[in-house]
Amino acid sequence: MTTSNPLPLTQFVVKMHSRCDLACDHCYVYEHADSSWRSRPKVIADGIMAKAAERIGEHAAAHRLPAVRVVLHGGEPLLAGPDRLRRAATALRAALPPGCALDLRIHTNGVLLSRDFCALFAEQDIKVGISLDGDRAANDRHRRFADGRSSHPQVLRAVALLNEPAYRHLFAGLLCTMDVENDPAAVYRALAELRPPAVDFLLPHATWDEPPKRPAALGATPYADWLLTVHRLWEADGRPFSVRTFESVHRTLRGFSSLTESLGLEPSDLAVLETDGTFEQADSLKTAYDGAPATGMDVFAHSLDDLARHPGIAARQSGLAGLAEACRACSVVRSCGGGLYAHRYRSDDGGGSFDHPSVYCGDLMTFINGVAGSGSPVGVPAQAVEAAPPGAEPLLPAALTPSQLDELARGYGGTETVAALGRSQLALTRALLAAAWDASGQGRAEAWALLAELDAAAPAAVDTVLAHPYARVWAARRLAGDLAVGLGPLAALTAAAAVRAGRGDAVAVPVRGGRLHLPTLGRIAVPDGEAVVTGRADGFEVRASDGSVHTVPDEPLRRIRLADGWTVALEDTDPLRDCHDHPVAERLSAGELLDWTGALREAWELLGRDLPGYAEGIRAGLTTVTPLRPGPTGRDVSSAARQAYGAVGIARPATAPTLALLLAHEFQHVKLGAVLDLTDLYDRADPTLYFAPWRPDPRPLEGLLQGTYAHLAVTEYWGTRTLAYDGLPGTAADRAREQFALWRRYTAEAVERLASSGSLTGTGLRFADGMRATVAPWLALPLPAAAEQAADRVRRERAGV
């Protein structure tokens, strides 16, 4: 990473008040190593808040950020009072550039929360998180008033307020700091009874200098055991609320990004503003030593780009390279990420540093391995095995429950359902690779044997590589008789897995066209011949046929952060990405990359606004966007490849709304393709060609099914935009109404054409019922006569009438 182009900061903690009305004995602000709170103003001044808003706004504009998250914090932020909180929210919103959304939250102990505060938060759209450690006995162990009184009744009153219908949409969740002497089952049940939308279970802050308590009676890894107990209960209950810690482990085990800075290798994008206007690093560093989070920067003299270049911030953005040697060689490092940065501190290493494993190292390894071996990765709770209804064809065992199939039939698919599709696709990729290797006369036996060995020793590394969308394309082509593709891609997959495992394994990979491609990593310019790739704990080494040695990709796979903990790859290096129906673009220039970054971030913001029912599944399953070459002038180009689950190909359109629509449209094809790999929705022997209402040429039944399913999202997209323009004049509003009138009718006709084909299976008819139920409410929405007439004109023109 260069100092001239820092990664943008997108999350900000603003200290509204530096004192607290509780005296929690585990608080890192007042009870740990840092004492800077003593010299700071109790409350942030309006001038400081205004300047902070200005800095955030200019940073968002410079980096084209589609959204920023700001957490109003303390101390106890409610001590700042409602007027100051209102002024802060107003200043932040006013400073952001057009198109940049504000995700504004407040984190409080709840003691002072009242209806007046809740009314303010509803007015300003401020989400509220509450600190609560469990039942009264658990909470009173640490969270008390200075005179020893319990705070539990006041906190329960606060949660009850947030659970009222008028305020439930403001409830962000609960934050629970673990204590291994609290009964994990009792803590879980107490929190679950409050119906939170989310719970964060946090390890108590500790370092090697001040290690966490470990009661002898609780064994060597009490924190792992505590978390695994809660995890089992959460699974058994069907995952009634989100838990970032658990979901992050499930995601990183599958090669995806973490949702929290305490796990995974995602770069930190967090900054803290204190009440005196000084910038600090992550608040958790206060547990390390006095002054640990200090940067020497302030809101008046320094920009957020200046702050992003600070060595302390950069250290938390360097991924695997920034970890201790022992961590880089660890089998769970991709999930653990070395643990929370603050928990690595040790002062007796010749000056004090964070170049150590987490003080919770053993617990993290036990916990991650426990989750990995639980038998129920993210997607389907352990007990969720439902009896199939009459007429349903059998699914791949444990792939989808009937309720998940119904969810997909409606066009949607939340995090768990789409993750289940992802698991089934990973299993299919493994099966196809084995079949292709066997059909190839078992060539590249050394590479195959090593891949099998790595699958047992470092399964997360193998899963990450095999989950790459184009990992399966080689196998599909070989099984289809395309021998020209060679066996090199199999060796390249193995080499990439060896690099990720970091054990020192060497793999010989044939090179064609002067480029060695390592899936999920990028490509390196080397002479044709055979290159030897060696995975090491600190990276890799490529020794080319001419003796030259390379340690980094010339053209690395680039990733774009779209939301908290979620990134997508912008794939312009993989030679097998040409499986899309349209030609792929060449390597993007720096300017093109910046344009794509801004466009994707804005498109994601629009998807969350206009298609929230689809956005959740897109976030869970979309891992890769492959740039395509532009089509003819005026024509948008996009594609999904059946053998590339998780990827969509798109030629970047002129506007972000169009990009949002293309992403949603193509990901519908991705989901339906995965469903069709699991169960038959139609008679595959049917030779009949069917007309889609929007096309002049007849197509096989699967073509009609795919188009109909994709246009469920198109219908809802134009429907939500029509509702947003309700009663408003203008060209944009008229276009939305006309497109909505057109596509709702097209999609409804297509559903009925499918249902009456006589070729749908029992499950296919059930699927058609689901699509019909989704379209029906949109058909009932009244539209102006002019919109319906414009849609009729388009229909007649396309039909040649």
Side-chain angles (χ1 to χ4, degrees), residues 265 320 328-330 333-334 450-451 454 458 460-462 464-465 491-507 509 516-522 524 532-542 550-553:
L265 294 170
L320 189 65
R328 295 197 300 269
C330 179
V333 66
R334 300 282 167 180
L450 178 57
L451 188 62
L454 290 170
V462 175
T464 298
V465 174
L493 287 170
T494 304
V499 170
R500 290 188 171 277
R503 304 190 315 165
D505 300 292
V507 185
V509 183
L516 168 67
H517 177 256
L518 297 176
T520 75
L521 298 171
I524 305 166
V532 177
V533 181
T534 304
R536 304 192 185 284
D538 58 350
F540 65 87
E541 175 187 284
V542 174
H550 310 259
T551 57
V552 293

Side-chain angles (χ1 to χ4, degrees), residues 92-133:
L92 287 163
R93 281 206 172 80
L96 290 180
C100 182
L102 175 63
D103 179 357
L104 187 56
R105 301 176 179 235
I106 191 166
H107 193 86
T108 170
N109 59 36
V111 169
L112 294 177
L113 191 68
S114 64
R115 290 189 184 279
D116 287 343
F117 273 120
C118 286
L120 166 65
F121 299 152
E123 168 198 319
Q124 295 292 331
D125 192 22
I126 301 175
K127 303 297 189 295
V128 186
I130 301 282
S131 294
L132 179 63
D133 289 349

Side-chain angles (χ1 to χ4, degrees), residues 85-222:
L85 294 174
R86 178 182 283 106
R87 292 196 297 272
T90 302
L92 287 163
R93 281 206 172 80
L96 290 180
C100 182
L102 175 63
D103 179 357
L104 187 56
R105 301 176 179 235
I106 191 166
H107 193 86
T108 170
N109 59 36
V111 169
L112 294 177
L113 191 68
S114 64
R115 290 189 184 279
D116 287 343
F117 273 120
C118 286
L120 166 65
F121 299 152
E123 168 198 319
Q124 295 292 331
D125 192 22
I126 301 175
K127 303 297 189 295
V128 186
I130 301 282
S131 294
L132 179 63
D133 289 349
D135 56 11
R136 180 160 185 160
N139 200 67
D140 284 356
R141 192 183 290 275
H142 301 288
R143 296 189 183 278
R144 290 178 172 269
F145 289 95
D147 60 6
R149 287 180 296 124
S150 170
S151 66
H152 193 252
Q154 290 93 325
V155 182
L156 290 189
R157 177 184 53 77
V159 174
L161 264 178
L162 290 173
N163 270 325
E164 290 184 6
Y167 305 128
R168 173 70 185 184
H169 67 288
L170 302 175
F171 194 5
L174 301 173
L175 186 149
C176 172
T177 301
M178 297 166 45
D179 187 313
V180 291
E181 293 184 306
N182 288 333
D183 178 359
V187 168
Y188 170 79
R189 293 297 179 205
L191 298 180
E193 287 173 2
L194 299 177
R195 299 186 298 111
V199 176
D200 272 354
F201 292 103
L202 304 183
L203 293 166
H205 287 313
T207 67
W208 289 101
D209 291 0
E210 296 289 339
K213 64 180 178 182
R214 295 185 179 278
L218 296 180
T221 56

